Each structure stands twice: as structure tokens, then as C-alpha cells.
């Protein structure tokens, strides 16, 4: 009887963890497409430009307004 209870708890935990992982993967893909809009910032981020271009600043502003979690 106790082993059925443990099995049920384990299955419940596995279901919860699977759901959490699925949500995280979806969130990452959302951020990937959002962050791609900031490609103009690469020269600044990698150190090949001393200042970010204006397009980088406007892209960052857009990301902060539309999806600040990313």
C-alpha cells in the first residue's frame, strides 16, 4: 500500500518537473528571437567598437519595453 503512495508521489513530481522544463524551454526560445533583434550590438559587446551604435540603443530600448524579462 505504501509503495503505491510513493509511486503516485513520484509520478506527480515527474509530471510537475516535466511541465516546468517545458515552460523554461519555451521562455528561452522567446528570448532568443527577442535578443536576435539586438544583433547590431555585437561589435560593442565583443569589444571591437568603443561605443554602441544608435541602432543598438534603440534595439535595447525596444527589448526593455516589449520583453524586459529577456
Amino acid at each position: 500500500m505504501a509503495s503505491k503512495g510513493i509511486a503516485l508521489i513520484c509520478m506527480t513530481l515527474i509530471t510537475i518537473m516535466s511541465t516546468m522544463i517545458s515552460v523554461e524551454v519555451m521562455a528561452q526560445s522567446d528570448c532568443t528571437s527577442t535578443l536576435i533583434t539586438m544583433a547590431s550590438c555585437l561589435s560593442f559587446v565583443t569589444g571591437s567598437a568603443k561605443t554602441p551604435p544608435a541602432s543598438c540603443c534603440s534595439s535595447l530600448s525596444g527589448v526593455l519595453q516589449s520583453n524586459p524579462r529577456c
Side-chain angles (χ1 to χ4, degrees), residues 6-47:
I6 291 173
L8 181 60
I9 290 171
C10 288
M11 291 301 292
T12 303
L13 288 174
I14 289 170
T15 302
I16 291 169
M17 290 174 63
S18 297
T19 303
M20 290 172 62
I21 290 169
S22 296
V23 169
E24 182 62 28
V25 167
M26 288 172 51
Q28 287 177 356
S29 66
D30 288 345
C31 284
T32 300
S33 61
T34 299
L35 294 176
I36 286 174
T37 64
M38 296 183 58
S40 62
C41 301
L42 277 176
S43 60
F44 176 68
V45 172
T46 60

